[in-house]
Amino acid sequence: MLGRRVTLAASAARSLSTVRTFATAAPVSSTSPSHKVVVIGGGTAGLAISHQLLRSGKFAQNDIAVIDPALWHHYQPGWTLVGGGLKTREELRQPLHGLIDPKIKFYNESVGAFAPEENYITLANENKVSYEHLVVAPGITVDFGTIKGLTEALEAPDSGVSSIYTYDTCAKVFPTIEKLQKGTAIFSQPAGVIKCAGAPQKIMWLALDHWKRAGLYDPSNPAGSPIHISFATGLPTMFGVPKYSAKLEELRKERAVEGLFQHDLVAIEGNTATFARPDGKEKVTKQFDFLHAVPKMGPPAFVKNSALANEAGYVNVDDATTRHKKYANVWSAGDASSLPTSKTTAAITAEAPVLVRNLLQSMEGKELDATYDGYTSCPLLTEYGKVLLAEFKYGGEPKETFGNWFGIDQANPRREFYYLKKHFFPWVYYQSMVKGTWAGTKGWLN
């Protein structure tokens, strides 16, 4: 932690590398640094892509540059494990500068503005950096301000409100779960795009299992249990992929969790949560003793307000090639891209090799020959010791690795998948993925 108190909004922004300011663009000078490839973002996508490029053997010292203001790099999928009391947040982060190969130039700065017509960017300190190819992968922002009163509730130690969605808030989740002995527990999920759409209910299932083991919740007798559980989601279903949604709905009913569908959390005041309904007029209020809140998320402002963005504010790239639809030397993958798939680390394992292959082909004047099919995955914890391993591609079509290998149905939670989620994925992430040597279902890269 930093040696001084900061607001949640500021600290979350720093942790997620989303603090950006704009600078007035000026012509790039001959003394400004220039690189063959500039990668915006030192998160999962940025590190995987920059190191895969480096490992191609086609780049010399400082041909590749990474730009990111963050001090720390976080394994964000692990924050669910922190919220469930299974790991500490400290073991899931490393200093960012130590993860970047010395052959890559690292600018520990914020981005100010893009000048894609002139092939340079302006840093927040007003320095210019030019490029031959640009990869934009800064992730997305977590906007606490989208829920009135959330920042204050998260900062209050005894509020009963917590969230797994930032480094600074995830450590509050499990103590808050443990503290609840009776009352109403609400778990929220917003409408719209968020990181890992299964995470809001992952933490719910872990909390339910904890309270069940503690004798505080009995799915066969919810009315007689000290704790009542509700899942309030801005979506009309439990999950976006029909196959897995059906299984999760079955679990919800089996475990007697109240489903509040199309309930979008918009405000917190004391122990009252206010939800918006689809018509935009009706508001529903619910009393709670425990609330796990998930705010809305979106592209960083410096991307959203740039010429690179589509109408929704994401980097406007081709769904298959990851190349920008207007600027042929601009590429994007990960959460900031317009790729219409769930925003997960697993998606990046499939996106990064496609982007890298096509960028290298483009540099050599060749046709792009790699295609991304929308593959993504959500290892969805359904209790301590079991995970439903959702894997799918564009169109919500299942693409199950273990189903193909062993003929099993991955919609059924399994203990083997739990060990992948808890142990293997965090290990392979820091040992291989951020180093550019892991491609998910395709295994290790040369």
Side-chain angles (χ1 to χ4, degrees):
M1 294 294 293
L2 299 176
R4 58 187 175 86
R5 186 178 183 275
V6 294
T7 65
L8 278 170
S11 101
R14 181 174 55 255
S15 297
L16 294 171
S17 307
T18 56
V19 175
R20 304 290 194 268
T21 57
F22 279 85
T24 302
V28 65
S29 73
S30 59
T31 60
S32 297
S34 179
H35 305 276
K36 288 187 177 179
V37 182
V38 170
V39 179
I40 307 299
T44 304
L47 290 187
I49 290 165
S50 59
H51 286 111
Q52 285 181 33
L53 286 168
L54 184 64
R55 290 178 62 83
S56 72
K58 300 179 184 296
F59 298 92
Q61 180 77 37
N62 295 339
D63 277 351
I64 302 170
V66 169
I67 301 174
D68 196 304
L71 299 177
W72 296 94
H73 179 97
H74 303 271
Y75 178 62
Q76 295 182 29
W79 289 341
T80 304
L81 301 173
V82 176
L86 295 168
K87 287 187 180 292
T88 66
R89 61 182 180 172
E90 290 80 9
E91 65 186 292
L92 298 171
R93 72 171 184 171
Q94 292 188 25
L96 176 56
H97 67 85
L99 295 175
I100 298 175
D101 191 286
K103 293 181 181 178
I104 295 175
K105 174 66 176 178
F106 178 38
Y107 295 90
N108 201 192
E109 299 284 347
S110 298
V111 171
F114 296 103
E117 301 287 352
E118 290 81 24
N119 298 325
Y120 73 89
I121 64 167
T122 304
L123 302 179
N125 62 13
E126 299 189 6
N127 289 338
K128 310 294 187 295
V129 179
S130 61
Y131 57 81
E132 294 178 18
H133 286 264
L134 176 68
V135 177
V136 186
I140 60 175
T141 64
V142 177
D143 189 354
F144 288 109
T146 57
I147 300 174
K148 183 180 179 182
L150 176 56
T151 298
E152 295 79 5
L154 289 170
E155 289 180 330
D158 299 322
S159 66
V161 179
S162 59
S163 179
I164 59 169
Y165 267 91
T166 71
Y167 178 83
D168 294 299
T169 61
C170 66
K172 184 184 179 185
V173 178
F174 190 63
T176 309
I177 290 171
E178 287 187 303
K179 186 177 179 180
L180 187 70
Q181 298 297 305
K182 65 177 181 178
T184 297
I186 299 177
F187 296 81
S188 80
Q189 176 163 351
V193 174
I194 63 170
K195 290 189 286 187
C196 188
Q201 60 180 296
K202 292 179 190 180
I203 192 62
M204 176 182 73
W205 298 128
L206 290 179
L208 184 153
D209 198 24
H210 172 82
W211 292 323
K212 179 181 174 182
R213 294 171 186 229
L216 299 171
Y217 187 73
D218 181 359
S220 66
N221 183 24
S225 300
I227 294 175
H228 175 80
I229 304 173
S230 297
F231 183 54
T233 173
L235 307 176
T237 61
M238 290 292 287
F239 198 70
V241 178
K243 174 180 179 176
Y244 306 120
S245 184
K247 182 62 178 183
L248 292 165
E249 177 67 3
E250 179 185 315
L251 291 177
R252 182 189 71 79
K253 291 179 177 177
E254 285 179 359
R255 297 173 182 181
V257 172
E258 180 185 28
L260 300 172
F261 295 102
Q262 294 186 302
H263 282 61
D264 206 357
L265 181 63
V266 294
I268 300 167
E269 184 175 357
N271 288 96
T272 301
T274 301
F275 300 89
R277 298 286 283 139
D279 61 11
K281 298 177 181 179
E282 181 186 359
K283 294 284 175 58
V284 176
T285 59
K286 297 283 184 179
Q287 299 298 119
F288 67 86
D289 300 280
F290 171 99
L291 174 63
H292 181 268
V294 180
K296 291 184 183 297
M297 303 173 200
F302 77 104
V303 171
K304 184 177 182 179
N305 298 325
S306 76
L308 303 180
N310 64 8
E311 291 183 359
Y314 294 92
V315 184
N316 193 21
V317 295
D318 181 83
D319 295 351
T321 66
T322 76
R323 180 159 69 178
H324 197 276
K325 292 182 178 180
K326 179 179 180 181
Y327 303 103
N329 65 337
V330 175
W331 313 78
S332 184
D335 296 353
S337 76
S338 64
L339 297 171
T341 191
S342 291
K343 298 185 181 299
T344 68
T345 295
I348 294 167
T349 66
E351 295 166 6
V354 170
L355 186 154
V356 169
R357 169 68 181 180
N358 285 336
L359 190 154
L360 292 174
Q361 290 289 95
S362 178
M363 289 184 71
E364 296 175 4
K366 299 177 181 178
E367 291 294 320
L368 309 190
D369 59 6
T371 300
Y372 174 58
D373 66 359
Y375 172 83
T376 189
S377 175
C378 179
L380 212 152
L381 290 147
T382 56
E383 60 189 275
Y384 288 100
K386 287 190 178 181
V387 160
L388 182 162
L389 185 55
E391 289 184 291
F392 49 99
K393 59 183 181 179
Y394 286 145
E397 182 182 345
K399 187 182 180 183
E400 298 183 346
T401 303
F402 296 95
N404 291 335
W405 289 354
F406 305 114
I408 62 176
D409 184 355
Q410 292 181 199
N412 294 321
R414 300 176 68 93
R415 184 168 296 277
E416 297 89 340
F417 298 154
Y418 174 77
Y419 292 116
L420 287 177
K421 169 67 178 175
K422 184 182 178 186
H423 301 295
F424 178 73
F425 291 151
W427 174 82
V428 78
Y429 182 84
Y430 277 120
Q431 291 298 314
S432 296
M433 185 172 177
V434 296
K435 297 177 181 179
T437 61
W438 173 250
T441 60
K442 290 184 170 59
W444 277 271
L445 300 169
N446 294 327

